[in-house]
Amino acid sequence: LAWSVLVGGPLLAGLLWCHILSIFLVMDLMGLWDCGRLTICNKLCYAVGGAPYQITGCALGFFLQIYLLDVAQLDPFYASIILFVGRAWDAVTDPIIGFMVSRSPWTRFGRMLPWIVFSTPLAVVSYFLIWYVPVIEDGKVIWYLVFYCLFQTLQTCFHVPYSALTMFISEDQKERDSATAYRMTVEVLGTVIGTAVQGQIVGMANPPCILAPGDNVTTEGLNSSLLLGQEKTAYMIASGAICSIYILCAVVLFFGVKEKKGKESPRPRSELMSFWQGIGLVMGHRPYVKLVMGFLFTSLAFMLLEGNFALFCCYTLGFRNDFQNILLVIMLAAMLTIPFWQWFLTKFGKKNAVYIGTSSVIPFMILVVCVKSNLIITYMVSFAAGVGVAAAFLLPWSMLPDVVDDFQVQNPDSKGHEAIFYSFYVFFTKFASGISLGISTLSLDFAGYITRGCTQPENVDITLKVLVSAAPIGLILIGLVLFRSYPIDEERRQGNRKLLQEQRENEADSETDSTELTNMV
């Protein structure tokens, strides 16, 4: 197992990186993306910084629930508490960290990058300890709760500054959109790596299920106990590999990206506002509220699917030994179609991309629960569903900079709130996902979920079908209805671009006049 990780893991990652780099080069040479003043190297280094969040998030989202239930063997009630409290805590820390980042002083490395550098070492240690089963049985719940919350806090210190960094790599909308497409592609690649590393390593040490009472389980029980210990080791090996990738990506981001301070207004900075004043300012911007509410429901739908899909594949579809490969197919399809959605939104507009891209996954959510258990059909459905997942990854982060630009046009005297905008979007989605995961795990408990059972009661199968199909579809439809009132179309977006350019030119002229007057004096 260790040899396969050391040899196969880097080989797979290298092949994926070569493939995605070739896509970037071809699309830039074809002129589909305008590089402007940001080189391919700049964009790639910036994009690599988004991989740690997705790699760890994918591993936690797909595997933490089944790990707590079947490997750590916690009661579903306590597992639901850990999942809910961890996500809720993560959501609460996002606006707080965002406010702290917005008040951070500029250094010679920038304002965002120091946060990323200092949070990385502690984050990887806490992540590794999440996947360790402590010896003390009575302390398991506290162990997982503490390290899960700690990791979420440290990851927030990484991801909120990184998200806001979009506004400081360039002042041009086209450059930011292009860099965001690079970032989303690499982030989806990160989900592929997270799924591949975690799923393939853990899948190689998958212990047998527990038979029903009354069967001859003496020998099987001994084998199961031995293989369960191997599965615990496999989870630790996988977490160690992911921690190494996390550190590597942070190093590439720090040395490959230069944070641009931009032109400061001669007026006093608004970062001296209190926390609640900053919240009131950004939440009072109507386009931002409508965008966040629309994506809140669509993101929640995909998070609900992500959190329960591994259990659905294992118990409802009966693919206990293949679920990690099914998850990998979804992420590979999402990675390969990110460039298509980037082309689509530049050609037909971002709102049209939201409607078509997000709704495209609905037929496949219906099909996966209606068709009888068939591995080939499941793979085909999973690949098609990955196309919709790609749109869900790309579009929110591509549209948030437009809202920030619109805010700056309407509030030219207010500066330094980029991190708050990004952190509140993450806050709402994470808090809602925490509630959904907690409720879904409790629902399985009430339905009679059997830990490591070879089969589950009929109520569990029905519950899993609702959690991966009916509930996500309803949330997606609500999100699309809310998104109809989002006011920033292509015409307004281009108008904001021109107005911002005029503001920057006026500020530059004012600074030039002030400098000349000072020299004369």
Side-chain angles (χ1 to χ4, degrees):
L1 178 62
W3 177 254
S4 64
V5 173
L6 293 174
V7 176
L11 179 60
L12 174 63
L15 291 174
L16 290 174
W17 277 114
C18 291
H19 174 72
I20 203 63
L21 180 59
S22 65
I23 293 177
F24 289 143
L25 292 173
V26 170
M27 296 197 73
D28 270 319
L29 291 174
M30 291 174 63
L32 296 180
W33 291 344
D34 180 21
C35 287
R37 292 183 297 274
L38 287 177
T39 65
I40 294 178
C41 182
N42 294 142
K43 295 177 183 179
L44 282 175
C45 291
Y46 164 74
V48 164
Y53 178 79
Q54 295 300 336
I55 292 174
T56 56
C58 181
L60 291 169
F62 279 130
F63 294 95
L64 183 59
Q65 185 183 45
I66 195 171
Y67 168 81
L68 293 176
L69 294 174
D70 288 357
V71 179
Q73 298 186 347
L74 295 179
D75 184 271
F77 175 76
Y78 293 117
S80 66
I81 291 178
I82 293 171
L83 293 172
F84 169 71
V85 173
R87 289 294 184 102
W89 174 259
D90 186 23
V92 170
T93 58
D94 277 300
I96 297 175
I97 297 299
F99 177 75
M100 294 172 63
V101 170
S102 67
R103 293 179 65 93
S104 300
W106 282 89
T107 67
R108 65 191 185 102
F109 301 111
R111 178 185 293 168
M112 309 298 166
L113 291 174
W115 283 84
I116 294 171
V117 171
F118 291 121
S119 65
T120 296
L122 296 175
V124 297
V125 172
S126 59
Y127 177 81
F128 180 81
L129 293 176
I130 291 174
W131 303 102
Y132 173 74
V133 180
V135 178
I136 303 176
E137 188 71 23
D138 295 336
K140 283 184 179 180
V141 176
I142 300 299
W143 176 279
Y144 291 118
L145 188 60
V146 168
F147 285 108
Y148 187 38
C149 291
L150 179 60
F151 171 72
Q152 297 288 17
T153 302
L154 294 167
Q155 190 185 51
T156 299
C157 294
F158 182 106
H159 191 63
V160 168
Y162 173 75
S163 300
L165 188 62
T166 308
M167 304 302 298
F168 297 97
I169 59 176
S170 176
E171 295 180 348
D172 186 81
Q173 284 184 352
K174 288 185 177 180
E175 289 186 351
R176 293 202 302 259
D177 287 346
S178 177
T180 299
Y182 275 74
R183 170 192 167 188
M184 291 299 105
T185 308
V186 174
E187 287 196 2
V188 176
L189 174 62
T191 65
V192 173
I193 295 175
T195 306
V197 172
Q198 191 85 5
Q200 299 304 315
I201 295 176
V202 171
M204 292 160 55
N206 193 19
C209 55
I210 298 176
L211 300 177
D215 293 330
N216 185 12
V217 296
T218 304
T219 304
E220 189 70 28
L222 293 174
N223 293 335
S224 177
S225 177
L226 176 63
L227 291 175
L228 181 60
Q230 293 179 0
E231 190 174 22
K232 293 177 182 178
T233 303
Y235 270 101
M236 294 182 64
I237 293 174
S239 64
I242 289 176
C243 288
S244 300
I245 298 172
Y246 194 117
I247 296 174
L248 178 62
C249 292
V251 172
V252 171
L253 174 66
F254 180 75
F255 288 103
V257 175
K258 182 178 181 182
E259 188 175 343
K260 299 178 181 179
K261 187 175 182 180
K263 299 293 184 180
E264 291 286 350
S265 171
R267 301 177 181 88
R269 285 181 51 84
S270 57
E271 66 178 2
L272 298 178
M273 287 184 176
S274 68
F275 175 72
W276 296 110
Q277 287 175 326
I279 292 177
L281 191 64
V282 298
M283 295 306 297
H285 189 56
R286 292 176 61 84
Y288 176 74
V289 174
K290 293 177 179 178
L291 180 72
V292 169
M293 291 303 296
F295 279 124
L296 170 64
F297 286 92
T298 57
S299 300
L300 181 56
F302 286 99
M303 290 179 182
L304 196 61
L305 175 66
E306 177 188 63
N308 295 279
F309 197 69
L311 290 172
F312 176 76
C313 290
C314 288
Y315 296 113
T316 302
L317 298 181
F319 301 140
R320 186 178 185 86
N321 297 323
D322 298 283
F323 78 92
Q324 65 271 14
N325 299 323
I326 296 172
L327 301 180
L328 185 60
V329 168
I330 295 176
M331 295 298 103
L332 280 171
M335 181 192 71
L336 294 174
T337 52
I338 281 284
F340 165 76
W341 287 117
Q342 171 63 18
W343 169 82
F344 188 94
L345 67 86
T346 56
K347 185 72 173 180
F348 300 102
K350 297 182 179 180
K351 289 189 69 173
N352 291 330
V354 170
Y355 296 135
I356 296 175
T358 306
S359 60
S360 64
V361 75
I362 293 179
F364 305 105
M365 286 183 174
I366 297 174
L367 188 61
V368 76
V369 298
C370 292
V371 177
K372 291 184 178 180
S373 180
N374 185 292
L375 187 58
I376 296 177
I377 293 178
T378 302
Y379 276 122
M380 295 172 60
V381 170
S382 299
F383 185 88
V387 178
V389 172
F393 267 94
L394 174 64
L395 292 168
W397 300 110
S398 179
M399 299 175 74
L400 277 172
D402 299 336
V403 175
V404 177
D405 286 343
D406 188 78
F407 175 83
Q408 291 178 347
V409 167
Q410 298 184 23
N411 302 271
D413 296 339
S414 183
K415 303 289 183 180
H417 294 293
E418 294 86 356
I420 298 179
F421 275 101
Y422 280 84
S423 63
F424 263 93
Y425 169 72
V426 179
F427 164 78
F428 285 115
T429 55
K430 287 182 178 179
F431 189 80
S433 70
I435 295 176
S436 69
L437 284 177
I439 292 176
S440 65
T441 310
L442 280 177
S443 300
L444 293 174
D445 187 22
F446 293 145
Y449 177 84
I450 302 173
T451 300
R452 301 206 70 86
C454 293
T455 59
Q456 296 291 342
E458 184 179 357
N459 289 337
V460 173
D461 291 337
I462 296 174
T463 302
L464 287 172
K465 290 180 179 179
V466 171
L467 293 174
V468 302
S469 181
I473 290 173
L475 292 169
I476 288 175
L477 294 177
I478 294 174
L480 293 178
V481 170
L482 292 173
F483 196 79
R484 289 183 61 86
S485 61
Y486 176 66
I488 301 179
D489 52 16
E490 289 302 303
E491 181 179 355
R492 180 166 173 175
R493 193 170 73 91
Q494 295 299 328
N496 287 340
R497 179 184 178 186
K498 294 179 181 179
L499 291 174
L500 281 175
Q501 185 64 31
E502 292 176 359
Q503 287 183 10
R504 295 186 184 106
E505 291 176 354
N506 293 336
E507 289 179 0
D509 292 340
S510 299
E511 290 182 2
T512 301
D513 294 340
S514 177
T515 302
E516 292 178 353
L517 180 60
T518 302
N519 292 335
M520 291 177 61
V521 173

